[in-house]
């Protein structure tokens, strides 16, 4: 899964410098260079990962507009401007969430799968997905899109129709309400307790709705946007009951992973409608009660490192000895196995040299060269492994303790 990045400060500089009608209002080049340096310094210090925090700089007609999610970054930038005695530049800083979302800084996803994109337009690259019933932070609204932050911290844009903004009291009420989770792979909700009635929406594994009663073989539910519907009772479980039954053992994680065999690869996908490599591992752990980082390059930083290399080269004997089922395997592009190699792929280890991953489809391959399902490591090189099972790591967050799903306010 590719990282989500903003335009670099140098790109923004040259875009601005090249505007013919801006030359007369552009500040002295030394001042511009100094401001650019301070902006880059601030971003590097407070926003090391642009997928989970924002510090964007946009010069326009002699002024400098900055927006950021980081209060400390704003304070640091302004202090640096003052310390460098820069007084002839007009700088405005927009701290997110901003006034475009008014007082509604929280939303709940109301589609079975909401698509999040790298920019506020339909043609933009798919960055990730979020499931129905998931709370997101609303940071900004623009051109019919919300910029949101997901429970794992990922920031991207989704259509305003995908999310229902809620007040603090409405969020608390939703979190405390009795809910159900859809546990089948796919399904539908209906306008009446009858599968011949008009459909209300499609449903996907992991969707969460408010429970509103029972009607025969159906459960009556309510969507975040207030729609009411009926779902076959055998396709859902009470959310609290489901959450209490989550035991993120290797066996359970791999059972979920194998249930996704054959799903198509989808860049940015994190649902049973299609998954990319890290969306696949994320879903396997999520359905067992654990929220993990979104991208492979983030996932490789979590959990316990497992030694599988000798002299920066895969040592199959060592790997077979040290790896356990449900460990995550990380691959880098190219042939080099350097310690700082760029991670581009991730898989779940099954045992006996085999792993399951999303590559074209969700499938099983082997690291053993004589196996019939051997995967070609010339183009997808195994460089690292991490263990998530039974690891205490702030990056591995239990759903049962996460504010996106559970009320943090005492009753």
């Amino acid at each position: 899964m590719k990282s989500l990045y903003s335009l670099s400060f140098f790109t923004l500089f040259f875009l601005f410098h090249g505007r013919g009608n801006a030359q007369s209002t552009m500040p002295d080049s030394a001042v511009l260079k100094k401001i650019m340096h301070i902006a880059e310094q601030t971003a590097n210090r407070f926003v090391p990962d642009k997928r989970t925090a924002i510090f964007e700089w946009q010069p326009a007609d002699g002024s400098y507009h900055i927006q950021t999610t980081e209060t400390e970054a704003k304070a640091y930038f302004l202090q640096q401007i003052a310390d460098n005695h820069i007084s002839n530049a007009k700088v405005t800083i927009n701290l997110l969430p901003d006034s475009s979302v008014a007082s509604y800084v929280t939303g709940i996803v109301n589609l079975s799968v909401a698509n999040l994109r790298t920019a506020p337009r339909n043609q933009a690259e798919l960055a990730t997905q979020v499931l129905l019933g998931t709370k997101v932070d609303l940071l900004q609204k623009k051109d019919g899109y919300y910029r949101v932050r997901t429970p794992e911290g990922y920031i991207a844009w989704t259509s305003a129709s995908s999310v229902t903004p809620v007040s603090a009291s409405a969020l608390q009420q939703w979190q405390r309400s009795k809910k159900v989770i859809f546990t089948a792979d796919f399904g539908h909700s209906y306008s009446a307790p009858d599968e011949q009635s008009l459909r209300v929406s499609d449903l996907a594994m992991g969707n969460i709705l408010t429970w509103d009663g029972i009607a025969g073989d159906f459960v009556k539910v309510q969507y975040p946007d207030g729609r009411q519907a009926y779902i076959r009772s055998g396709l859902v479980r009470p959310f609290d009951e489901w959450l209490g039954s989550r035991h993120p053992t290797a066996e359970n994680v791999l059972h979920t992973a194998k249930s996704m065999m054959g799903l198509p690869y989808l860049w940015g996908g994190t649902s049973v409608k299609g998954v990319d490599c890290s969306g696949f591992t994320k879903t396997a752990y999520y359905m067992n009660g654990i929220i993990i980082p979104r991208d492979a390059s983030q996932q490789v930083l979590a959990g316990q490192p497992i030694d599988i290399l000798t002299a920066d080269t895969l040592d199959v004997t060592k790997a077979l000895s040290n790896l356990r089922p449900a460990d995550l395997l990380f691959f880098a592009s190219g042939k080099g196995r350097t310690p700082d190699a760029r991670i581009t792929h991730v898989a779940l280890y099954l045992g006996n040299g085999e792993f399951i991953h999303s590559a074209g489809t969700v499938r099983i391959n082997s690291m053993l060269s004589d196996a019939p399902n051997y995967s070609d490591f010339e183009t997808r090189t195994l460089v690292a492994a991490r263990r998530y099972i039974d690891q205490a790591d702030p990056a591995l967050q239990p759903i049962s303790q996460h504010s996106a799903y559970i009320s943090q306010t005492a009753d």
Side-chain angles (χ1 to χ4, degrees):
M1 174 70 190
K2 189 170 70 174
S3 301
L4 177 63
Y5 290 106
S6 306
L7 287 174
S8 71
F9 295 118
F10 287 109
T11 302
L12 289 168
F13 166 68
F14 286 118
L15 286 174
F16 175 59
H17 191 76
R19 292 174 56 186
N21 64 353
Q23 294 296 324
S24 61
T25 59
M26 200 165 92
D28 179 83
S29 60
V31 174
L32 175 64
K33 185 176 181 180
K34 187 170 288 186
I35 292 176
M36 184 169 64
H37 173 72
I38 293 172
E40 288 185 296
Q41 185 181 51
T42 304
N44 290 336
R45 179 169 180 172
F46 295 97
V47 186
D49 189 338
K50 296 177 178 66
R51 293 164 290 187
T52 57
I54 295 169
F55 189 89
E56 297 173 342
W57 179 60
Q58 297 174 318
D61 296 329
S63 64
Y64 303 85
H65 179 68
I66 291 170
Q67 55 185 15
T68 181
T69 53
E70 308 306 298
T71 303
E72 291 183 349
K74 174 182 176 179
Y76 177 84
F77 179 83
L78 291 176
Q79 186 62 53
Q80 291 300 308
I81 292 292
D83 290 348
N84 284 274
H85 308 291
I86 300 173
S87 59
N88 63 333
K90 182 182 178 182
V91 178
T92 60
I93 299 184
N94 186 32
L95 187 63
L96 302 179
D98 65 14
S99 59
S100 65
V101 298
S103 60
Y104 291 94
V105 296
T106 299
I108 302 175
V109 174
N110 57 35
L111 298 181
S112 63
V113 178
N115 293 322
L116 274 60
R117 302 188 179 277
T118 57
R121 58 180 185 272
N122 289 332
Q123 303 92 327
E125 175 185 316
L126 183 64
T128 191
Q129 295 177 321
V130 185
L131 297 175
L132 171 67
T134 301
K135 173 228 173 189
V136 293
D137 299 327
L138 304 182
L139 303 177
Q140 194 173 20
K141 191 175 184 181
K142 180 181 178 181
D143 299 332
Y145 277 76
Y146 280 113
R147 179 179 259 181
V148 304
R149 181 190 285 115
T150 67
E152 65 272 14
Y154 217 79
I155 297 174
W157 296 87
T158 191
S159 171
S161 62
S162 302
V163 178
T164 297
V166 294
S167 65
S169 59
L171 173 65
Q172 191 174 104
Q173 181 180 354
W174 180 85
Q175 289 180 323
R176 293 178 175 178
S177 65
K178 186 174 181 179
K179 293 184 289 293
V180 296
I181 184 168
F182 192 79
T183 54
D185 289 344
F186 305 100
H188 296 91
S189 64
Y190 299 89
S191 57
D194 180 356
E195 291 181 343
Q196 300 306 311
S197 66
L198 194 66
R199 289 177 177 175
V200 175
S201 83
D202 71 314
L203 296 168
M205 184 175 69
N207 287 175
I208 300 171
L209 302 105
T210 301
W211 181 90
D212 201 26
I214 296 174
D217 293 333
F218 289 78
V219 172
K220 186 180 181 182
V221 297
Q222 183 168 299
Y223 286 72
D225 59 7
R227 286 175 295 165
Q228 293 184 332
Y230 297 85
I231 306 172
R232 277 282 182 187
S233 57
L235 303 181
V236 298
R237 287 184 66 182
F239 180 68
D240 289 345
E241 175 188 298
W242 174 85
L243 197 55
S245 70
R246 297 303 88 191
H247 303 293
T249 63
E251 180 181 7
N252 290 342
V253 170
L254 293 179
H255 176 78
T256 301
K258 290 175 182 177
S259 76
M260 291 186 277
M261 281 287 290
L263 284 185
Y265 179 93
L266 174 64
W267 180 273
T270 64
S271 75
V272 290
K273 294 185 177 183
V275 286
D276 60 22
C277 62
S278 54
F280 167 68
T281 53
K282 179 182 182 302
T283 300
Y285 271 89
Y286 174 81
M287 291 305 296
N288 286 281
I290 301 293
I291 300 169
I292 71 173
R294 170 62 183 93
D295 288 349
S297 59
Q298 297 168 318
Q299 293 175 4
V300 73
L301 303 177
Q304 176 189 352
I306 305 300
D307 185 14
I308 59 170
L309 305 179
T310 296
D312 294 335
T313 299
L314 173 65
D315 185 328
V316 174
T317 301
K318 182 185 290 185
L320 291 176
S321 175
N322 293 347
L323 287 171
R324 297 178 188 170
D327 286 348
L328 279 73
L329 306 179
F330 296 94
F331 305 77
S333 58
K335 298 182 180 181
R337 291 181 171 89
T338 59
D340 58 349
R342 178 172 173 266
I343 300 299
T344 58
H345 191 65
V346 60
L348 285 171
Y349 187 64
L350 291 173
N352 300 317
E354 289 192 321
F355 54 90
I356 183 169
H357 59 145
S358 180
T361 63
V362 175
R363 55 190 173 92
I364 294 174
N365 286 110
S366 175
M367 65 176 67
L368 305 180
S369 58
D370 58 349
N373 58 344
Y374 171 68
S375 181
D376 184 0
F377 289 103
E378 292 298 311
T379 56
R380 192 166 278 169
T381 306
L382 181 55
V383 296
R386 292 274 175 159
R387 180 162 300 144
Y388 283 5
I389 301 296
D390 295 328
Q391 300 302 308
D393 187 324
L396 309 176
Q397 307 171 73
I399 296 175
S400 60
Q401 300 173 20
H402 200 291
S403 61
Y405 300 91
I406 304 298
S407 175
Q408 303 297 302
T409 304
D411 292 330

